[in-house]
Amino acid sequence: GAVVSQHPSWVICKSGTSVKIECRSLDFQATTMFWYRQFPKQSLMLMATSNEGSKATYEQGVEKDKFLINHASLTLSTLTVTSAHPEDSSFYICSASREGANNEQFFGPGTRLTVL
Amino acid sequence: LAKTTQPISMDSYEGQEVNITCSHNNIATNDYITWYQQFPSQGPRFIIQGYKTKVTNEVASLFIPADRKSSTLSLPRVSLSDTAVYYCLVGDVTTDSWGKLQFGAGTQVVVTP
């Protein structure tokens, strides 16, 4: 089946630093990937749509200068949390769809970000 | 995307059947119904998807009445490992915006021995 990976699986950083999270579709090409954020005991919230070769589309209320998204290739999208602060601590999840896969969205395993 | 309403939580014992009903009164003609499962600190996992009537796969069944304003996910003979949050999503899977999944609160299913 289609596999989506994320790296790192967890990261701890100091306040003010930037953190990059990678999302890769391992065995299929994804022209579009999606980034979600999930706080403890809450549901997933869509942050942005990552488009290969073009700018990302952000959901209302998500700061595009804070969360930089780069879709460098058909198998890689990156999310950079710039100048991270403790309130950015969350579980970040990406997803991608594979053509012909019954419209199934394949999710990555998530990245736990903790900002001290 | 149509809004969905699910019970917040459900408890069950091992071996029982668990049925989770999702309400989606504003479902559109082209919308499909999809269910995902999520374990703690993991990404959601696709369970099943349907448009009308009944769909069955190796892990679950999905029952959709004729008016499609609700749907029921049925998990047969649950085990402890089925303890998870289950999300019901409704949307037009044929459009490019399908991947912009809007997750509701989900249903926390707890299975005990």
Side-chain angles (χ1 to χ4, degrees), chain A residues 3 10 13-14 16 18-19 21 25 31 40 46-47 49 51 54 56 58 68 81 86 92-93 100 105-106 112-113 115:
Chain A
V3 179
W10 60 270
C13 69
K14 293 182 178 180
S18 295
V19 175
I21 302 170
S25 54
T31 55
L46 178 66
M47 298 176 66
T49 303
N51 305 298
S54 64
Y58 291 83
L68 301 179
V81 183
Y92 292 87
I93 308 170
Q105 284 289 319
F106 296 93
R112 175 74 60 190
L113 170 63
V115 184

Side-chain angles (χ1 to χ4, degrees), chain A residues 34 36 38 42-44 46 49 59 91 93 102-105 107-109 112, chain B residues 36 38 41-44 46 49 87 93 96 98-105:
Chain A
F34 303 89
Y36 297 82
Q38 185 175 33
Q42 294 187 25
S43 185
L44 286 78
L46 178 66
T49 303
E59 295 299 301
F91 192 53
I93 308 170
N102 296 321
N103 308 306
E104 179 180 344
Q105 284 289 319
F107 285 82
R112 175 74 60 190
Chain B
Y36 283 84
Q38 186 183 28
S41 297
Q42 294 187 27
F46 175 93
Q49 183 182 86
Y87 295 97
V93 302
D96 292 339
W98 161 241
K100 297 177 62 174
L101 301 178
Q102 302 290 351
F103 284 80

Side-chain angles (χ1 to χ4, degrees), chain A residues 2-4 25-30 74-75 96-99 106:
Chain A
V3 179
V4 175
S25 54
L26 297 185
D27 51 2
F28 67 100
Q29 294 183 332
L74 289 173
T75 59
S97 58
R98 185 187 67 179
E99 189 174 349
F106 296 93

Side-chain angles (χ1 to χ4, degrees), chain A residues 6-78:
Chain A
Q6 285 185 235
H7 179 81
S9 56
W10 60 270
V11 57
I12 302 174
C13 69
K14 293 182 178 180
S15 184
T17 60
S18 295
V19 175
K20 179 184 287 187
I21 302 170
E22 294 185 347
C23 176
R24 293 181 184 272
S25 54
L26 297 185
D27 51 2
F28 67 100
Q29 294 183 332
T31 55
T32 305
M33 291 182 175
F34 303 89
W35 286 96
Y36 297 82
R37 179 169 54 182
Q38 185 175 33
F39 293 107
K41 301 295 184 181
Q42 294 187 25
S43 185
L44 286 78
M45 291 178 54
L46 178 66
M47 298 176 66
T49 303
S50 173
N51 305 298
E52 189 270 336
S54 64
K55 292 183 178 180
T57 304
Y58 291 83
E59 295 299 301
Q60 189 174 8
V62 178
E63 301 174 58
K64 63 179 181 179
D65 295 329
K66 171 77 171 178
F67 300 98
L68 301 179
I69 292 174
N70 185 349
H71 201 132
S73 73
L74 289 173
T75 59
L76 173 64
S77 174
T78 60

Side-chain angles (χ1 to χ4, degrees), chain B residues 14-98:
Chain B
E14 275 190 298
Q16 290 187 330
E17 178 181 82
V18 172
N19 297 305
I20 310 171
T21 297
C22 177
S23 298
H24 28 80
N25 292 318
N26 297 322
I27 190 169
T29 302
N30 294 330
D31 286 346
Y32 281 68
I33 301 155
T34 309
W35 286 80
Y36 283 84
Q37 174 193 55
Q38 186 183 28
F39 297 112
S41 297
Q42 294 187 27
R45 183 175 73 100
F46 175 93
I47 300 176
I48 199 166
Q49 183 182 86
Y51 183 79
K52 62 180 180 180
T53 63
K54 176 183 175 181
V55 180
T56 298
N57 62 21
E58 62 274 12
V59 297
S61 295
L62 178 59
F63 299 92
I64 306 169
D67 65 6
R68 303 200 326 123
K69 294 184 182 297
S70 68
S71 59
T72 299
L73 173 71
S74 181
L75 306 173
R77 298 179 299 281
V78 295
S79 63
L80 298 178
S81 62
D82 292 317
T83 294
V85 178
Y86 293 82
Y87 295 97
C88 162
L89 292 98
V90 174
D92 187 348
V93 302
T94 64
T95 67
D96 292 339
S97 63
W98 161 241

